[in-house]
Every structure is written in C-alpha cells, then in structure tokens.
Amino acid sequence: MPAILKENSAIKFRAVREARGDFPILSTQMNGRPLVFLDSAASSQKPQFVIDAIDKYYREQNANVHRGVYSLSQLATDLFEQSREKVRAFINGQYSREVIFVRGATEGINLVAQSYGRKFFKPGGTIILSQLEHHSNIVPWQMIAEEKGLEIKVIPINKEGELQLDTFEQMLSEKVQMVAVNHISNALGTVNPVKEIVEMAHRFDVPVLIDGAQATLHGSIDVQEIGADFYVFSGHKMFGPTGIGVLWGKEELLNKMPPWHGGGEMIKTVSFEKTTFNELPFKFEAGTPNICGSIGLGAAVDYFSQFDPKEVVAYEKELLAYCTSGLEEVGGIRFVGTAKNKTSVVSFLLEGTHPYDVGIILDKLGIAVRTGHHCTQPLMDHYGIPGTIRASMAMYNNKEDIDRLIEGVRRAKMMLG
Ligand SMILES: *Cc1c(COP(=O)(O)O)cnc(C)c1O
C-alpha cells in the first residue's frame, strides 16, 4: 500500500459501488442494449475525472515542457512533473526520477531489453520468462536474446495456471541474466507470487522485471515491498489514457544503463563531436513526451486514490465468485485458469462451440467480452486450445452485468448447441 495511505488512516474513502456512475460510457448503448463492458483486461474505461483533466489540459494548460521561460510552459511542466510524483506515490517508489514515462508496458519492456540487455547480457546466458506471459513480455526478450546469443527458458505452470516455483528454483543459476514475469496474468487472472520470485532470483543476483500491466487496475502497488528491479505498466489499463505508461526502475540500475532513444530532452550538451546525456528520468525520455497522457495518468491515480484498495479487491472478488458460480450453473463450461489466487478474470470455453461464435452472439446482446488468444499464444498452446472467451471485470462492473453475461451465454448455448 502506498505510504500516503499507510500513514494516513484518517482518509475517508468513497464506496466502491459509487464508481460505476463516474464512467460515462457505461450508460451508453451497444447494438440497441445498455452496454455491458467486460473487457477491462484489454483496456479499462475512463472516469469523467480523467476525461476532464485531459480536456482542461488542452483548453487551458497546453505548452511544451522543460523549455519555455513563459508561465504557460512552466504550468505544463509543473503538471507533468506532478504526475510523475503521483505515480511514484501510487507505486510507492523511492524517488520520482525512477519513474520513466513511456508509451506503455510494451515500450517499458523493450526499453529494458534494448538498454540493459544490450549493455549487460552476455552470450551463453539465460533469460527466464513464464508460460503465462503476454507477447509483450516475450518478443522483446527474444529479439535481444537472438542478437546477443542468449537462451530463453520458461517457468512451467500447473493445470490451474499457477507458476511452478520449485521448477523455477532449479532453473536459477549464475548463467541467468534476467527474470521477467507478469504480476497478474491477463489471460487467466492468476496473481503471481512476485515477491517470492524476486527473492529467489536475487539469491543469484539476477535482476527481475515485473510486467504489472494487469495489476494496477486492481489495487495499489508497492514496488519497494515487491523488491523488483523493474516494474512496467500502462495507463490505459488503469482508468488513464492510451499512449502513456511507466517504466519504474531502481535508480542504481537505471543510472548504469545507456540511453535507448536519442533526441531532444535526453541530452545535456550536443556537438557533432560529442554529446553528453541528461540525468534520470530525462535520459530515457527522448523528444517531446506525451504531456497530456501523463497528466491523464496522474488524474487516474488521483481518481483511484478516492477508493480503498482493499475494498476494491474485495468487491472484485465478489464479482469473480458470482460470475464463476453463475457460469457453472449454465453447464458445459470449461474454465481455463482456476488459480487459488486470482483476480476478476474468467476465461472459459463453452462445450461444442468456438469462442468467436459465442463472442459474436454476446456482442449482439450488448455484451463486450474478449475472445481469442489474448496475446498469449504459448499459453493457449499449452492448454491445446485456440483461445477462450474472457470476461474481465473492474470495480465499475456490477452483478447486473454478470447476470446479463450469464443470460447471454445461456442464449449462445441454445443457439449453437
Ligand atoms: C496489456 C498487457 C501488456 C501490454 O500492454 P500495452 O498497453 O499494450 O503496452 C503486457 N502485459 C500484460 C500482462 C498485459 O495485460
């Protein structure tokens, strides 16, 4: 839990049940029915609070940052840097200069692979990933592994979709140069024991990157508690805008890493003979940053801070249980991913049907779910399936949404069965 919350037990939180009304899109219609949005694991909806912050920025505060002496540029710079500080507090990082603004989780991982990997990876070494990874936490490592001559190894899962830590322990050695795993699986909802994974890797001095893209939606993150070396996430998956995300890294490591992109902002001095680079975080933020996106992300953090993270998680667990038992009653459902520690994601198959066909029927009924491989093809291959139907819930969903989903799945079963 962020220090601000820990220290201030007098904070009066809003009730989680009030959240729904803050999201304008949830009172719109899709295909003639009230929208039921159950695809938050792909991208979350945005509250009016965030939309207003973005609107206000372009109407009243827009200018380039870190350059102008004029007041408007100062204002934009202040807002931009305040957002960095908000993010730091949200993840309980030590210094705001450890917060690097990037386009999203994907870019954060690429930055580490290209900057840290290019400099420090040695041929013959190993990178450990897991069977649960999103393509974004596979492909950047494959690219650098190929270039530098490293091997990729994969932490296996059991049939519930939980990482096998005893095998992971055996995979660790001095040869391992990076461990990169997700905090929460987007396809199955498994919550991984990231703190334990970090502890195990650190016994061999192996750095760990945590892909937190799915974690920030469900509560606060404490990067110091987790102990990881890098933590990445995307604004759009936590009520913020697209095109903005964060790479958080330990200062000591970030300082040792070379810049990745070159350009304005990231330099101290430039001449054709020699260029010197700026300090953290600017060293990694070449060019005009996504100023508005950062401010929108800061607003998303502020919005989130109105709610008690513990209540958010408890409420989502309630939705998860309600959805799971409702689907069980339909019959003919195969759940994919039944980890003990799971977030509000339900991945399933309906016997005798293709996920895509079920998705189309649900769409006609105004229900948005994800169907397919969820950018986790190796995981789907592991289960021997082409994909699943995935309903993923956020704190703005309610039991009526789930009732509509169950009703829709019943309908699909009748029509396709
Ligand atoms: C969405 C997601 C990503 C990629 O996030 P982008 O916003 O597309 O960069 C990576 N990992 C996980 C687990 C995700 O859910």
Side-chain angles (χ1 to χ4, degrees):
M1 186 185 281
I4 38 164
L5 297 186
K6 255 187 227 160
E7 283 153 21
N8 193 349
S9 55
I11 288 182
K12 192 152 168 25
F13 292 112
R14 286 176 65 200
V16 169
R17 271 159 231 273
E18 286 176 20
R20 188 180 181 89
D22 300 336
F23 293 77
I25 208 169
L26 298 180
S27 46
T28 62
Q29 306 240 319
M30 190 172 74
N31 296 327
R33 312 270 184 126
L35 170 67
V36 170
F37 187 75
L38 294 170
D39 195 21
S40 297
S43 198
S44 68
Q45 295 303 346
K46 322 301 171 201
Q48 189 63 47
F49 189 79
V50 169
I51 299 169
D52 285 346
I54 293 168
D55 183 77
K56 184 171 174 152
Y57 172 72
Y58 280 126
R59 284 175 188 278
E60 301 170 17
Q61 304 159 332
N62 175 59
N64 210 334
V65 292
H66 302 139
R67 277 185 252 267
V69 291
Y70 55 94
S71 304
L72 194 59
S73 172
Q74 276 301 321
L75 174 64
T77 305
D78 289 348
L79 292 167
F80 180 69
E81 290 305 326
Q82 278 162 20
S83 290
R84 197 189 304 277
E85 170 55 23
K86 285 174 191 176
V87 169
R88 183 209 61 76
F90 178 65
I91 60 174
N92 195 29
Q94 203 169 358
Y95 311 110
S96 61
R97 58 184 176 272
E98 295 175 326
V99 172
I100 315 290
F101 283 128
V102 290
R103 276 194 297 137
T106 304
E107 188 174 77
I109 296 165
N110 277 281
L111 195 162
V112 176
Q114 290 298 319
S115 166
Y116 182 92
R118 278 246 178 89
K119 177 144 184 193
F120 295 109
F121 285 175
K122 301 274 179 311
T126 307
I127 299 168
I128 297 184
L129 309 177
S130 94
Q131 190 76 48
L132 288 174
E133 296 319 305
H134 188 283
H135 296 163
S136 289
N137 199 25
I138 300 174
V139 183
W141 302 114
Q142 283 176 327
M143 288 162 66
I144 191 73
E146 178 154 356
E147 191 180 318
K148 304 278 288 188
L150 283 81
E151 190 190 359
I152 292 199
K153 291 197 172 152
V154 182
I155 310 171
I157 52 173
N158 61 16
K159 66 177 192 314
E160 287 75 28
E162 297 164 325
L163 294 180
Q164 298 298 277
L165 290 197
D166 43 350
T167 313
F168 173 55
E169 191 157 37
Q170 289 158 18
M171 292 161 74
L172 283 165
S173 74
E174 274 75 28
K175 275 177 67 176
V176 181
Q177 299 183 16
M178 180 66 72
V179 172
V181 294
N182 61 39
H183 194 164
I184 296 179
S185 152
N186 63 306
L188 309 185
T190 311
V191 181
N192 292 314
V194 283
K195 192 177 172 193
E196 214 177 324
I197 289 169
V198 170
E199 275 168 15
M200 289 164 76
H202 281 181
R203 275 178 227 146
F204 290 85
D205 286 330
V206 179
V208 182
L209 177 142
I210 304 293
D211 169 3
Q214 290 296 326
T216 44
L217 178 68
H218 302 290
S220 55
I221 304 299
D222 188 332
V223 290
Q224 293 188 74
E225 161 93 10
I226 294 167
D229 302 278
F230 303 103
Y231 196 98
V232 300
F233 58 95
S234 298
H236 72 97
K237 290 189 178 175
M238 53 170 293
F239 311 133
T242 50
I244 187 73
V246 168
L247 160 66
W248 170 88
K250 283 185 181 155
E251 181 181 33
E252 191 198 338
L253 273 171
L254 292 174
N255 269 333
K256 280 195 238 165
M257 288 159 52
W260 178 35
H261 290 156
E265 289 278 301
M266 53 78 73
I267 48 87
K268 216 176 237 144
T269 61
V270 178
S271 71
F272 283 110
E273 290 70 39
K274 183 165 174 60
T275 289
T276 57
F277 299 123
N278 208 335
E279 286 155 12
L280 289 178
F282 312 110
K283 181 171 89 173
F284 292 113
E285 294 181 353
T288 300
N290 184 351
I291 305 164
C292 176
S294 313
I295 291 168
L297 176 57
V301 168
D302 284 343
Y303 175 76
F304 214 160
S305 308
Q306 301 177 316
F307 302 92
D308 179 354
K310 283 204 216 79
E311 199 197 331
V312 172
V313 171
Y315 179 70
E316 289 174 346
K317 277 210 186 319
E318 211 181 300
L319 292 181
L320 173 68
Y322 188 71
C323 182
T324 307
S325 64
L327 283 171
E328 262 164 5
E329 276 171 33
V330 172
I333 300 283
R334 173 182 165 196
F335 292 102
V336 183
T338 50
K340 276 191 273 317
N341 193 3
K342 217 182 123 160
T343 185
S344 47
V345 168
V346 182
S347 241
F348 64 97
L349 292 161
L350 177 63
E351 215 166 67
T353 70
H354 194 281
Y356 182 79
D357 297 331
V358 179
I360 295 283
I361 291 173
L362 292 176
D363 175 55
K364 293 263 189 308
L365 300 169
I367 305 160
V369 295
R370 200 67 157 194
T371 58
H373 56 62
H374 318 298
C375 296
T376 56
Q377 276 179 359
L379 179 61
M380 297 297 122
D381 291 347
H382 170 83
Y383 281 107
I385 54 178
T388 70
I389 306 152
R390 182 188 69 186
S392 56
M393 294 155 273
M395 67 171 171
Y396 46 61
N397 288 114
N398 59 18
K399 288 193 175 163
E400 287 82 79
D401 290 339
I402 313 289
D403 290 340
R404 291 261 311 274
L405 171 73
I406 309 286
E407 191 43 45
V409 173
R410 259 184 226 286
R411 181 90 71 96
K413 190 181 171 190
M414 255 158 45
M415 289 171 71
L416 302 168

